[in-house]
Amino acid sequence: MEELLPRPFWSGFRVRFNILLSIITLIAYATTYIPPTDGWWWLGFIPFGIPGLLLLHLGVIAYWLFVNPSKALISGLTLLVGMSFVKSTFTYTFPPERPATANHFEVLSYNVHIFNVYETPNEANKQKSRAMIDWVAKHPAPIKCLQEYYHSDQSELYNTLRPIALERGYNVYVNSIENLRDKRGFFGVAIFSKYPIVRATEIPLGKKSHQKGILADVQIGADTVRIINVHLQSMSIDENQLFDAIEDEETRRAYAETAQRIRRGMGIRATQVQLLLQDYILNSPYPVVICGDFNEMPYSYAYMRLRRHLHDAFGYAGRGFGFSYNGRLSFLRIDYQFFSEGLRASTFRTRRDITYSDHFPLEATYYIP
């Protein structure tokens, strides 16, 4: 008689909820393949929910393992399909040891926030700027890629070419120096290399001077590697506006404005990534390392577009979450180092102990097999 009794509603609901959650997650995965153009811009917001969906699946798996382990397979397969998203969120890798005979080199990538030159000019902020410049100058990496780099001939403190490059034997390539000069100096993206730079060129990514890219082909022993340093379209998020709004109307306006900026930025960055791939990466005669401030989460169309052709050094050789933004939105990973076939990454580290800027530095070591 007991077999004829209907099953409790809760029993069937749990399975239906699990199936629905998996369908929603698979749709979110799929939206990362659709460019956020004008007609489909709203799809670009869906991948922002992927981290929450992954956490829900982990919770569902933990529940089923205690109640009915066989049903954990639904969420388990969903996570397996989206393993690239899992590794983009959290990774704990054990990369193979670098062969002793292989050419190897370290790359530092760091958004230095104009060395905080626009902070209130008091002694504490000057000391912070001085400490950041000193840290960058003394870092041993033979290749340094800086975003929002700043230099002024007329300032003792911000005459940064001298301590970073001239006193330490680095070759330098900075974008549009002549066009950026004013009474306070120039800023943009910069590549410093202890290796010879055999070719260098600017990559036009936008109208704003600091949102550009540069390329330097560097000779490492008998090999040549293409180094690309970029600062893509800004996310333009005003943290103070988001967190400090008091009135309800002010809060709604802040979130609406932020959504509009994100919408616009997603489309611009998608176009910038397409240009980088077509003109500078896929046709490169050399292995490529591209790094910088991409202003994109690791679930976006732009990020996944790069991941289809390149390896994310964080997922390949990193550990932990890799959050790279040093601000109130501290859960953001928007700075990256990618590398192409022909190279391997043996180490990757997000230097969260270096807090001078609003971004954390990224260190990676590569070798040529």
Side-chain angles (χ1 to χ4, degrees), residues 105-155:
F105 57 96
E106 184 180 6
V107 176
L108 169 72
S109 177
Y110 192 10
N111 183 326
V112 295
H113 193 51
I114 325 178
F115 295 112
N116 299 323
V117 70
Y118 293 123
E119 298 287 338
T120 305
N122 56 39
E123 190 57 33
N125 286 331
K126 287 182 180 179
Q127 289 295 338
K128 188 177 180 181
S129 296
R130 188 173 288 110
M132 182 173 7
I133 295 167
D134 188 57
W135 186 87
V136 171
K138 291 180 178 177
H139 195 283
I143 297 174
K144 300 175 183 179
C145 296
L146 304 183
Q147 304 88 45
E148 295 192 27
Y149 169 74
Y150 179 77
H151 168 85
S152 174
D153 290 330
Q154 301 177 21
S155 168

Side-chain angles (χ1 to χ4, degrees), residues 16-31:
R16 287 195 294 271
F17 171 79
N18 201 169
I19 293 172
L20 179 62
L21 180 64
S22 292
I23 291 172
I24 292 172
T25 305
L26 293 174
I27 291 172
Y29 292 165
T31 57

Side-chain angles (χ1 to χ4, degrees), residues 285-329:
Y286 314 115
V288 174
V289 173
I290 176 170
C291 56
D293 178 0
F294 288 76
N295 280 301
E296 283 285 3
M297 297 279 281
Y299 321 102
S300 65
Y301 168 82
Y303 171 86
M304 294 305 297
R305 186 85 175 81
L306 285 166
R307 273 286 305 273
R308 286 180 214 126
H309 301 281
L310 303 169
H311 301 285
D312 183 348
F314 164 76
Y316 196 94
R319 294 181 180 181
F321 289 98
F323 300 141
S324 66
Y325 184 65
N326 181 23
R328 297 169 81 172
L329 297 171

Side-chain angles (χ1 to χ4, degrees), residues 61-82:
I61 289 172
Y63 172 80
W64 282 126
L65 288 177
F66 282 102
V67 177
N68 188 340
S70 64
K71 289 188 170 59
L73 189 62
I74 301 172
S75 283
L77 288 174
T78 305
L79 290 181
L80 189 62
V81 170

Side-chain angles (χ1 to χ4, degrees), residues 319-340:
R319 294 181 180 181
F321 289 98
F323 300 141
S324 66
Y325 184 65
N326 181 23
R328 297 169 81 172
L329 297 171
S330 58
F331 55 86
L332 296 179
R333 185 164 83 91
I334 56 177
D335 302 87
Y336 304 97
Q337 290 197 31
F338 295 94
F339 64 97
S340 69

Side-chain angles (χ1 to χ4, degrees), residues 171-229:
N171 301 294
V172 186
Y173 183 60
V174 183
N175 75 301
S176 295
I177 291 178
E178 293 79 12
N179 297 328
L180 292 174
R181 284 191 180 276
D182 61 21
K183 63 181 180 180
R184 290 177 296 186
F186 59 83
F187 71 99
V189 285
I191 294 175
F192 300 87
S193 173
K194 282 283 184 77
Y195 306 108
I197 297 176
V198 296
R199 174 178 178 258
T201 187
E202 184 176 299
I203 302 173
L205 294 175
K207 295 180 180 179
K208 292 186 178 180
S209 57
H210 64 291
Q211 289 167 357
K212 290 188 178 180
I214 55 176
L215 173 156
D217 294 334
V218 301
Q219 187 174 343
I220 304 174
D223 301 293
T224 302
V225 176
R226 173 161 293 180
I227 306 296
I228 300 175
N229 182 18

